[in-house]
Each structure stands twice: as C-alpha cells, then as structure tokens.
Amino acid sequence: QVQLVESGGGLVQAGDSLRLSCAASGRAFSNYAMGWFRQAPGKEREFVAAINWSGGSTDYADSVKGRFTISRDNAKNTASLQMNSLKPEDTAVYYCALSGYLMPTRRGSSYAYWGQGTQVTVSS
C-alpha cells in the first residue's frame, strides 16, 4: 500500500512561485512514474505534469510548460512541483499521484494512488 501526502500549497499573487511536495510511503514509489494533476472549482481534473520512474523523462501540459518543473528524489520517496510565474488560472487543488507504469502518462486512470490534495490560490 502507498500513501501520498502533498504539502506546500497556499495563497500567492500572480507572478509568484510555489513549490509543492509529495511525500510517499511504501517501497513501490521508485518503481513507477509520478504525476501532478489539478482540479479547479466547477472543472474536471486535468493533467499538469508527470515524471518517469528514474526522473529522466518528463511531460507537461501546454498550459504550464516553461513555468512548472517536476522532479523526484527516490532516495527520499518524494516528488516536487516547482511552480513559477503563477497565474490566477493556476488556482486549483493540486494532487500528486503514483502511476502503475514506468513512463509518464497523462491518463488519470493510469494512476493507482492519489494524495488528498493541496490548495493553490493565485490572486490577480
């Protein structure tokens, strides 16, 4: 069993930065890809970024490419999402998730474990 706990969310102004962290329990963490998703009020959950099992391959949604950076530290069982140049449209609950695959995937159904989420609010 794997448990994921996000942290680092908060209220910031447009143009600011935030770093989200995801702490994982369980030995399976380093074997699979990790992903970040977000869900804004009244909207469906959407893919944000993903990273493969080793950290050598990443994928980003077009809306965050060039502003967000996903990383992982398998020795510490953690993953991070560095978010720069935040915009009001980035406001959402952000979730980290552990995939059942080695390579990054955008499909939410490919992720077996999910965190509880952390709120990110960007004011204009």
Side-chain angles (χ1 to χ4, degrees):
Q1 189 73 10
V2 175
Q3 289 187 325
L4 305 173
V5 179
E6 303 95 336
S7 62
L11 172 62
V12 297
Q13 293 186 333
D16 286 350
S17 298
L18 272 178
R19 186 177 182 86
L20 304 184
S21 295
C22 177
S25 63
R27 293 180 294 175
F29 176 83
S30 60
N31 296 339
Y32 300 106
M34 287 288 300
W36 286 93
F37 291 76
R38 66 187 181 186
Q39 187 167 20
K43 295 187 177 181
E44 294 187 353
R45 182 183 63 195
E46 66 173 353
F47 168 79
V48 175
I51 188 167
N52 77 325
W53 68 278
S54 68
S57 178
T58 57
D59 185 27
Y60 296 93
D62 288 344
S63 59
V64 306
K65 196 172 295 182
R67 298 189 298 123
F68 291 11
T69 302
I70 188 172
S71 61
R72 69 188 296 163
D73 185 339
N74 286 342
K76 296 181 178 179
N77 271 19
T78 59
S80 297
L81 184 68
Q82 177 66 42
M83 306 185 295
N84 298 330
S85 302
L86 283 162
K87 305 175 181 179
E89 50 263 44
D90 294 319
T91 295
V93 177
Y94 283 71
Y95 300 90
C96 68
L98 182 66
S99 168
Y101 300 89
L102 292 174
M103 298 305 292
T105 173
R106 298 187 175 200
R107 296 193 308 271
S109 59
S110 297
Y111 292 81
Y113 299 99
W114 294 80
Q116 294 298 309
T118 185
Q119 176 71 46
V120 173
T121 303
V122 184
S123 63
S124 58

